Amino acid sequence: MAALLLLLAGSVVVSVSIGQVDVPVRDSARVLLHELTGIGGPGDPMFMDVVWNIRLPRVLLAAVVGAGLALCGTVMQATLQNPLADPFVLGISSGASLGAAFAILTGFGAAGAVGAVAGLGVPFWAFIGALAAAALVLGVGGAGSRTSPVKLILAGTAVNALCGAASSALVYFAGSAEGVRSVTFWSMGSLASAEWATLPAVSTVVLIATAFFLFRSRVLNALLMGDEAAVTLGIDPGPHRRIHLVLAAVVTGMLVATCGIIGFVGLIVPHVVRSAIGPDHRGLLPVAVLSGALFLIWADVAARVVVPNAELPIGIVTSVLGAPLFLHMLIRKEYGFGDK
């Protein structure tokens, strides 16, 4: 944990120095030290603006989003007892895409659009879409009998398909080429809109969720072993499963509404950490949170510098980095889900 915290702090300093305009690491450290503690001078005014006002909010948002996605992925894999579960398994991504496509293509996400609620913008509608999809999955998964992981995953698959079809229909019938491009770019994820004003709400939600789940490591360990084992240990899986999934849906919806859909973080990071330190959530959760933050910080750096004078959607970068690593883990014979 100490090594990861030091690595995270160093990554923040180095990553704010990298971009289309290179800033010496020494100057970046001087700017951060001055702004955070008041020690020393601010340095070059141009470096000050680039590091503090443009790059640092983006790097911090990447850390928060990566930590949140890794947290939700770890929780959902244990709660649903499924190694393929990730933050989007409840239809959250497709629901958010539908909400964003509706806001962009109908004009409800534009400032000054018709209606007071419309002025809240695309993130609001994406968040509403994500929560609506998750609520539908939880409702269908719990209908008729006791909620089970299999029913929830199947319901999530159905809702994903339904929301995806609705989003495709909106794009197909849209008359705005610019709107279609905006929907496409949003669906691939981006941290380009990061600013200081967006950080407090997202950070607060992720911190509260992290603290909550850290105190439920024993419950997560029991759920990972299966419902029968959990009942034997005195834990009723149903209520705990609903609480975990609702909170994970809220966190993921908040993250998706802020920066679009960023895949593979919540899937691959928990598996990498689990293969290294084992399945005990007392260590797995905090290490996965810090590892997710590190992963997304450097994925965002790659998105900023791979193409000169342009920026790749970060969802492309995370998929390119995550897919080969996931395949490598599957080939390793000694790795198994739920055991070391």
Side-chain angles (χ1 to χ4, degrees), residues 37-282:
T37 66
I39 299 175
D44 191 315
M46 183 184 72
F47 291 162
M48 166 72 179
D49 187 56
V50 170
V51 170
W52 185 257
N53 296 321
I54 298 175
R55 290 186 185 165
L56 185 59
R58 178 170 179 151
V59 170
L60 294 179
L61 182 61
V64 170
V65 172
L69 291 175
L71 171 72
C72 293
T74 304
V75 169
M76 297 189 77
Q77 286 171 12
T79 300
L80 297 177
Q81 303 151 25
N82 191 311
L84 294 179
D86 71 353
F88 303 132
V89 73
L90 296 184
I92 297 173
S93 60
S94 57
S97 293
L98 179 57
F102 170 80
I104 293 171
L105 298 177
T106 62
F108 271 72
V114 179
V117 177
L120 293 175
V122 174
F124 170 80
W125 292 99
F127 184 68
I128 293 299
L131 291 189
L136 180 59
V137 171
L138 291 173
V140 173
S145 62
R146 189 167 61 92
T147 303
S148 69
V150 174
K151 285 182 65 178
L152 287 169
I153 292 172
L154 293 176
T157 302
V159 171
N160 265 319
L162 181 63
C163 292
S167 299
S168 299
L170 283 175
V171 171
Y172 180 79
F173 290 108
S176 169
E178 181 62 30
V180 172
R181 284 194 294 270
S182 298
V183 171
T184 302
F185 187 79
W186 187 91
S187 66
M188 291 186 288
S190 175
L191 298 171
S193 61
E195 54 186 25
W196 286 111
T198 62
L199 282 171
V202 180
S203 302
T204 301
V205 171
V206 172
L207 284 174
I208 291 175
T210 302
F212 175 80
F213 285 120
L214 283 175
F215 284 101
R216 297 180 68 84
S217 298
R218 176 177 173 271
V219 176
L220 290 169
N221 286 341
L223 291 176
L224 183 62
M225 292 187 293
D227 287 5
E228 293 183 1
V231 172
T232 302
L233 294 171
I235 296 173
D236 185 1
H240 292 291
R241 183 173 289 123
R242 286 191 292 272
I243 292 171
H244 291 180
L245 295 181
V246 167
L247 185 54
V250 171
V251 174
T252 306
M254 189 76 171
L255 300 178
V256 171
T258 303
C259 57
I261 299 171
I262 302 176
F264 259 97
V265 180
L267 177 64
I268 189 64
V269 171
H271 282 294
V272 172
V273 176
R274 191 180 291 109
S275 69
I277 70 171
D280 188 346
H281 287 82
R282 290 175 297 178

Side-chain angles (χ1 to χ4, degrees), residues 312-323:
L312 279 176
I314 194 170
I316 295 177
V317 178
T318 56
S319 296
V320 169
L321 294 176

